[in-house]
Amino acid sequence: MQKEVKGVTKAIYSAVNRGKLIFAAAATRGSLQPRAYPACLPGVIAIHATDGYGNPAIFNPSPEEGDNFSVVGMGIKSEWEAQAVFISGTSLATAVAAGIAANILDFGRTHLNKGLDRPGLFYSYPGMRYLLRSMAPLRFQYHFISPWNIFRELSDDDIINPENAWDEVCEKLRNVITQLVALGLPSSLLDSTRIIGSSGPNLISVHEANGREMLEDDVPGQSGLQIKKGKSRKDVNRYIEYLNFLHQHQAIESHKLNDTSKVSSWLLDFLNIDAQVFEPLLKSRAFPRRIKVGVLDTGCDLSTGFFDAEHNHLDKQRITGEHWVDFLNDKIRGPVDEDGHGTKIATTLLMLLPRAEVFIGRVARKRADFSSPDIHETISTAILHAASSWEVDIITMSFGFSEVPSCIEKAIDEAVGPRMRNKRLLIFAAANNSGRNEPERFPASYLRSVISARGTYPNGGFVDDYNPDGSHAPLYGTLAVEVPCTHKWVTKERRPKVLTMSGCSIASPIMASIAATYLQYVLWKMDQLGDEDRRMSQSLHRLFEQDGMLALFSETTRNGGDRRFLAPWQLFEGKGIEKESIWQSRLVAAGSSLHQRVI
């Protein structure tokens, strides 16, 4: 409901005042509306929805300051008229959250000492609120309720002797109660299930005076949990919301919720690097410039669902004007794509690189055109334009040839050569999608100037079809299975159809995005150093070269063997105040390995 019903409000205050916990669905219209009534009332625990990995649903209202509890409520399998159906909503999530709370209350009632441990404290809004926060890590500005932070999975020994597991849960609950007592809640809360014997308005003041102040500090056991204040990352959040939109509909279409969730979770973790790394850095110093990435393919279709008004229509400006060139001379003013292949690559780059400049070069009308030698000169021209006119840091190409076109080989040599870029240009290309039946295709096979991209599952396992043999080691791969890129509308049914891409064609731009993310951090670090450390600055400059980036890939995947899985968070692993020193040490180690080779 959007309007308050006074009788319901009075009943809610009365129930809460008598130690009753009330959970309510937040809303299901996304940022179009705030929390619905009665979830917006003080004293009511509002619940938002996520997938099984904690990624917030697109239909959630925008997070507010304070509590933003969320739990699984997407793609829930049910049954209707003897048919399996998958349903989503904050209403479902609310039932799940209430069930979690009920299990904890029942456990406390039967295993904690009523007089000594005072489990009755959890039968209060502030008490349950604090308990939920103690097991709800912050994920994309929502507090994802994770009951396994209280109840761990039982081992075989636990099944035989459950008392040990029960003792662990009791100890965790006692720790939370101890923290509550230390925070100085009213004595009436500590000794009974009642909050206070007064009317609604007084109840509200108690919630705000005690509950809100109490939760401004970190919750025990969740060192990274903080109340987020200030402006949200609107640009990045748009992509997070869009990926959730794609994931929701992709799961409904495929009925493979687990598989699609893993891919979506991987992509959302990529986007979350912006909050973990770049947003804190930008508080002290702006980037000296943005990394530039060029993609050469079939173009980009601005009518695809990615650019819809409710999603990312502002991104049209990112790939028009000087950021778009039609090398086919079709006299087309703006971006176009007759095939769709290039569109999927372009939208993926736009999502994963919100702070980068993206340049689109149309070198083919259809994918079939890549089998014609007539296209070779066009690609050669595009490579040189990207290197000299666009001055990109990275070029990605998702096509390949069984033979080596001499004009393309010459263009690559010139682009990375001393007269143009002096090696400071990274080129990525798709390896091959025929497994070990065929070798790497050119230009991916051009080892001295191009980084070959292979395909993996989201867990890092290499896909046989996207993993051809290579004459060099290590071989690198990244996510390449059912990657959601954009959507189109099925007119008759008025529903979105998610457009995905699999294979080395999508691995190449994703690997290029990982490199671009690393280089954006390198640029910030170089600007911070200034002239203080010339040797370190020289080492960091080398990371813009093929050898340097390969050395960094090797440094961040040292335990991977001959075939290594790349993920963007590998460079940024580490916690606490020393994390930036850890990141810097990895950069220095990669650069130092190059100096050792030269010596």
Side-chain angles (χ1 to χ4, degrees), residues 233-250:
R233 300 169 297 124
K234 291 183 179 179
D235 290 340
V236 180
N237 285 343
R238 278 193 292 111
Y239 303 124
I240 291 173
E241 291 176 357
Y242 185 64
L243 278 171
N244 275 313
F245 169 83
L246 294 180
H247 167 56
Q248 178 187 354
H249 292 284
Q250 187 182 10

Side-chain angles (χ1 to χ4, degrees), residues 23 47 71 92-102 132 145:
F23 292 75
I47 301 297
V71 75
L92 296 163
T94 301
V96 174
I100 293 171
L132 292 177
I145 300 172

